[in-house]
């Protein structure tokens, strides 16, 4: 009798089962959608364990009615609300009987085929953990942003987490499948009770157990971001300083878990991630908070960063997060918040003034001589270059032409940075506008030369004498499509772009001055380069009402380029809403503004419908 083949044995072996633990509290509007997305995965899902954390809105009743017709669904009602997400997940994990387990929040969904994809990856690689791509879907716009896309660019197997330190950046537990026996054998659970950012600690515990990990590029999880919801999720509700206290505590525990397990490199990576991601995110919003919040935040941050050692600061010392952290440590009180906000932006911008110590060493400021010496060796493509931007209507003489082709003037000014920019030789700049809700749609301008600024007494924000009349051209006739590539313009007609003389005078923003400001003793007066670009409103308005983010690509003489955002200048006549006449739309409402990180963005609302939508939004803000 021939021996039974391995293929025959595998064919008769029952498929591995997966349990999906769904947790929810007072989320009757969404919880059944989440559960159905798990049940719809097919036979690979052996059981769905829905844990209701003592809801008061009827969520449990909805789940019970669904369970009456679905034998795979089990509903567990907690008698008291836990105050967090960790306890109900542990409750569900204790009830799981399947070989594999996943976690799902009540306001999110699994994508079709997600479980099959992750299960196949885990079993094919003999991995204890399998992870896939999560996308953040902003509602109601529907805009999607991949979460940690670099990790999930390709199919890969990581035999040990230490070989991929980037894993610490993906702190989500919901886009992964875990072998149940692995979690139980290592006692891996979530922090109990009200512990925000519980998945940060849980992920550290998983990595500390050194699992074999399979990664797939497929979308497996949709994280719904509802910023207008009556009750924001823990990760979105950052208005109170307790949120920051919870985040620093979660990061501290993650570091200690990994260090205690002998995973020193991963522990270092946790601290690096805190500087590059968490710290920068909160600094960008710090100027929006009141004085009491800022003071408490500053003290909490200094206490947390005081735990870092020399090796933590020595790694990639010119990275923006490390520079911000060192400034915070050096000052006992909140300081230079506008300038720190610009440095926390993505990409980072280090705005003037550029001070030096008595020995010539670049420093943060005369009052706070934190060394910026590492910037001297940072590659040009990674320097925190600062570009000021101001958006103005075309000169009066061009109003007739505006009716044929909608135009604004974008004036750009690139600052020197301790001689590094002049050394690299900036040659040109290309402006592109990215649609906020569909990042694949881009309106791109032809690259224009960058010219050294001329000295003079021209008032800040006025047009230079070299400015020329913008050429006219027919407004595009077709409505722009929603394709994922670009609405790229061809070569500009002659005279469509002008080089401007740099303005001299006080910084309109009143923040980290421009080269025209009086420089403190010990600072260095650097050079600057400028360009002027015509903004094609016809192309921007072709998609209807929307928001556009400005991105710039600066090219240097050796072929290197650097993508940057632009610092939005404030002042008289700047960042002011204007109505531009249009043959096609009648009128186009244009509103330039500064984002939380200080970058220039543009809201465009064409036609009467667009104007009415802006009016309604303004009325809602006034009423609320």
């Amino acid at each position: 009798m021939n021996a039974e083949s391995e293929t025959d044995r595998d064919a008769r072996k029952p498929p591995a089962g997966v349990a999906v633990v769904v947790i929810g509290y007072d989320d009757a509007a969404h919880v059944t959608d989440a559960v159905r997305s798990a049940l719809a995965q097919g036979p690979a899902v052996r059981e769905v364990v829905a844990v209701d954390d003592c809801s008061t809105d009827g969520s449990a009743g909805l789940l019970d009615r669904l369970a009456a017709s679905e034998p795979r669904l089990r509903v567990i009602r907690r008698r008291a609300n836990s105050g967090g997400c960790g306890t109900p997940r542990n409750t569900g994990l204790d009830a799981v009987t399947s070989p594999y387990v996943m976690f799902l929040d009540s306001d999110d969904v699994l994508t079709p085929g997600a479980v099959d994809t992750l299960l196949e990856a885990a079993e094919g690689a003999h991995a204890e953990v399998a992870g896939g791509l999560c996308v953040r879907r902003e509602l109601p716009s529907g805009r999607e942003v991949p979460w940690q896309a670099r990790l999930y660019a390709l199919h890969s197997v990581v035999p040990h987490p230490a070989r991929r330190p980037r894993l610490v950046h993906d702190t989500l537990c919901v886009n992964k499948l875990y072998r149940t026996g692995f979690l139980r054998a290592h006692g891996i659970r979530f922090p109990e009770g009200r512990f925000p950012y519980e998945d940060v600690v849980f992920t550290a515990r998983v990595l500390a157990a050194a699992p074999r990990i399979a990664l797939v590029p497929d979308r497996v999880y949709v994280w719904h971001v509802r910023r207008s919801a009556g009750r924001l999720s823990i990760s979105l509700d950052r208005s109170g300083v307790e949120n920051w206290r919870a985040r620093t505590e979660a990061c501290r525990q993650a570091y200690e878990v990994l260090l205690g397990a002998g995973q020193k490199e991963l522990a270092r990576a946790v601290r690096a991630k805190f500087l590059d991601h968490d710290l920068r995110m909160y600094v960008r919003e710090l100027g929006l908070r009141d004085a009491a919040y800022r003071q408490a935040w500053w003290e909490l941050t200094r206490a947390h960063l005081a735990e870092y050692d020399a090796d933590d600061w020595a790694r990639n010392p010119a990275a923006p997060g490390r520079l911000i952290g060192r400034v915070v440590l050096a000052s006992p009180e909140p300081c230079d918040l506008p300038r720190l906000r610009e440095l926390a932006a993505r990409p980072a911008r280090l705005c003037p003034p550029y001070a030096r110590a008595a020995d010539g060493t670049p420093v943060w400021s005369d009052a706070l001589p934190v060394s910026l010496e590492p910037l001297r060796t940072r590659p040009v493509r990674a320097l925190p270059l600062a570009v000021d931007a101001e958006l103005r209507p075309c000169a009066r003489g061009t109003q007739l032409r505006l009716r044929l082709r909608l135009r604004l003037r974008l004036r750009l000014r690139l600052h020197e940075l301790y001689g590094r920019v002049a050394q690299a030789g900036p040659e040109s700049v290309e402006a592109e506008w990215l649609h906020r809700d569909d990042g694949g749609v881009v309106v791109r301008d032809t690259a224009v030369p960058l010219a050294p600024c001329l000295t003079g007494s021209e008032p800040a924000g006025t047009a230079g004498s070299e400015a020329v009349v913008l050429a006219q051209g027919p407004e595009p006739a077709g409505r722009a499509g929603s394709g994922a590539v670009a609405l790229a313009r061809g070569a500009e007609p002659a005279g469509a772009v002008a080089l401007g003389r740099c303005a001299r005078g006080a910084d309109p923003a009143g923040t980290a001055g421009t080269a025209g400001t009086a420089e403190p003793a010990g600072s260095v007066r650097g050079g600057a380069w400028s360009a002027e670009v015509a903004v094609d409103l016809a192309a921007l308005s072709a998609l209807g009402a929307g928001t556009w983010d400005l991105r710039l690509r600066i090219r240097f003489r050796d072929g290197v380029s650097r993508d940057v955002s632009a610092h939005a200048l404030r002042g008289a006549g700047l960042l002011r809403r204007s109505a531009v006449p249009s043959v096609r739309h009648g009128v186009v409402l244009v509103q330039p503004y500064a984002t939380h990180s200080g970058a220039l963005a543009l809201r465009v609302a064409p036609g009467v419908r667009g104007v009415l939508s802006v009016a309604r939004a303004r009325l809602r803000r006034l009423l609320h």
Side-chain angles (χ1 to χ4, degrees):
M1 183 175 179
N2 294 332
E4 183 181 39
S5 70
E6 184 176 345
T7 302
D8 293 336
R9 288 196 304 271
D10 288 344
R12 290 204 303 270
K13 185 173 64 175
V18 176
V20 180
V21 174
V22 184
I23 63 167
Y25 168 67
D26 279 359
D27 197 14
H30 309 113
V31 66
T32 54
D33 290 336
V35 171
R36 286 191 176 101
S37 78
L39 293 170
Q41 298 293 315
V45 173
R46 180 185 298 176
E47 58 185 333
V48 175
V49 180
V51 182
D52 180 76
D53 201 11
C54 198
S55 295
T56 60
D57 68 344
S59 295
L62 292 174
L63 292 171
D64 285 340
R65 287 193 288 276
L66 186 57
S69 60
E70 176 51 69
R72 291 181 296 166
L73 175 59
R74 298 171 55 198
V75 180
I76 300 176
R77 298 191 190 185
R78 290 186 49 79
R79 295 183 178 181
N81 180 259
S82 67
C85 297
T87 297
R89 286 197 184 125
N90 289 336
T91 299
L93 182 58
D94 289 340
V96 163
T97 62
S98 302
Y100 293 92
V101 62
M102 293 183 67
F103 300 99
L104 171 61
D105 289 347
S106 62
D107 54 349
D108 301 330
V109 293
L110 296 174
T111 62
V115 171
D116 284 337
T117 297
L118 292 174
L119 183 58
E120 181 181 353
E123 296 212 303
H126 303 288
E128 288 81 21
V129 180
L133 183 65
C134 168
V135 293
R136 288 168 52 104
R137 180 181 293 165
E138 298 271 353
L139 297 175
S141 70
R143 178 194 183 203
E144 293 188 348
V145 179
W147 172 260
Q148 296 300 325
R150 285 173 54 187
L151 271 176
Y152 299 102
L154 300 169
H155 287 273
S156 61
V157 177
V158 183
H160 192 288
R163 297 191 183 181
R164 192 76 61 88
R166 184 79 189 178
L167 286 167
V168 303
H169 285 252
D170 184 11
T171 54
L172 299 181
C173 67
V174 290
N175 60 331
K176 301 176 183 70
L177 176 141
Y178 305 90
R179 194 182 294 275
T180 309
F182 163 76
L183 296 180
R184 289 174 176 166
H186 292 277
I188 298 172
R189 297 173 68 80
F190 293 89
E192 294 277 351
R194 181 163 180 76
F195 190 101
Y197 306 107
E198 76 294 329
D199 46 358
V200 173
V201 179
F202 177 83
T203 298
R205 291 171 177 172
V206 169
L207 297 178
R212 184 176 176 88
I213 302 175
L215 304 175
V216 298
D218 308 67
R219 290 164 43 128
V220 299
Y221 195 90
V222 179
W223 173 3
H224 287 140
V225 179
R226 297 178 172 90
R227 298 186 189 277
S228 59
R231 187 184 79 234
L232 292 174
S233 67
I234 291 173
S235 60
L236 292 180
D237 188 4
R238 298 194 290 267
S239 58
V241 76
E242 288 306 311
N243 178 278
W244 180 240
R245 188 190 306 275
R247 189 180 283 262
T248 56
E249 177 59 26
C251 292
R252 178 183 293 109
Q253 288 196 27
Y255 172 82
E256 292 172 351
V257 164
L258 289 164
L259 193 65
Q263 304 286 354
K264 188 173 182 178
E265 288 302 310
L266 290 177
R268 296 284 188 200
V270 164
R271 284 185 167 176
K273 175 256 179 189
F274 176 85
L275 294 171
D276 183 63
H277 174 71
D278 305 79
L279 182 63
R280 291 173 71 177
M281 176 170 57
Y282 282 72
V283 165
R284 288 194 294 270
E285 301 174 352
L286 198 53
L288 304 175
R289 313 303 184 194
D290 59 29
Y293 176 100
R294 292 196 296 267
Q295 183 64 44
W297 184 94
W298 200 268
E299 292 173 1
L300 282 170
T301 306
R302 296 185 79 232
H304 181 70
L305 295 179
E307 299 172 5
Y308 284 34
D309 59 29
D311 191 47
D312 292 319
W313 299 108
R315 300 186 177 199
N316 198 6
R322 283 169 175 76
L323 296 181
I324 293 169
R326 290 167 59 207
V327 169
V328 172
L329 272 179
S331 175
E333 301 291 333
C335 69
D336 295 340
L337 298 188
R339 197 172 181 220
L340 287 173
R341 178 197 64 182
E342 300 284 336
L343 187 56
R346 293 190 183 276
R349 302 182 295 270
L350 180 59
C351 291
Y354 302 123
R356 292 183 186 269
D359 62 358
T361 301
V363 294
W364 177 257
S365 68
D366 292 322
L368 208 64
V370 173
S371 175
L372 303 181
E373 182 68 20
L375 290 177
R376 287 181 163 178
T377 56
R378 192 166 178 81
V380 172
R381 63 180 178 274
L383 283 174
L385 301 181
V387 179
D388 290 337
E390 57 181 271
L391 204 57
R392 291 187 177 274
C394 292
R396 292 179 181 177
T398 65
Q399 290 301 312
L400 180 61
R401 293 181 174 85
L402 277 172
R403 297 178 182 273
L404 298 176
R405 187 162 188 168
L406 304 177
R407 295 284 185 172
L408 292 176
R409 290 183 300 119
L410 176 65
R411 302 189 66 200
L412 304 172
R413 185 171 186 274
L414 167 65
H415 293 281
E416 178 58 275
L417 186 63
Y418 296 112
R420 296 298 311 283
V421 179
Q423 184 183 38
E427 291 189 334
S428 66
V429 60
E430 179 183 359
E432 61 181 26
W433 298 89
L434 283 68
H435 196 274
R436 177 73 58 81
D437 294 332
D438 186 351
V441 177
V442 181
V443 173
R444 188 172 292 115
D445 285 286
T446 304
V448 299
L450 278 163
C453 286
L454 306 176
T455 58
S457 57
E458 180 189 352
T462 60
S465 59
E466 293 87 354
V468 300
V469 176
L470 300 177
Q472 60 178 312
E475 183 176 345
R479 179 176 176 83
S482 59
V485 188
L487 303 171
R489 297 215 322 262
E492 287 287 344
V497 176
L499 298 179
R501 181 188 310 178
C502 282
R504 314 291 292 184
D507 177 20
T511 58
T514 63
T517 61
E519 294 174 299
S523 64
V524 59
R525 183 184 298 276
W529 295 259
S530 69
E532 187 167 300
V533 181
V535 180
D536 191 346
L537 277 179
L540 296 181
S541 61
L543 285 174
T547 301
W548 300 81
D549 292 306
L550 175 63
R551 292 291 183 270
L552 306 172
R553 177 164 297 149
I554 300 171
R555 299 189 185 277
F556 299 89
R557 60 170 168 253
D558 61 357
V560 171
S561 65
R562 170 65 165 140
D563 291 343
V564 300
S565 56
H567 164 66
L569 288 180
R570 304 171 187 267
L574 300 175
L575 304 185
R576 186 175 61 185
R577 182 184 293 119
S578 58
V580 181
S582 165
V583 171
R584 179 179 178 186
H585 301 288
V587 66
V588 176
L589 207 59
V590 181
Q591 173 68 72
Y593 72 99
T595 66
H596 286 338
S597 65
L600 181 66
L602 189 64
R603 294 189 184 100
V604 177
V608 175
R609 183 177 298 178
V611 172
L612 289 176
S613 69
V614 172
R616 284 194 296 268
R618 185 173 181 84
L619 181 60
R620 282 196 299 270
R621 288 195 295 271
L622 291 174
L623 294 176
H624 292 85

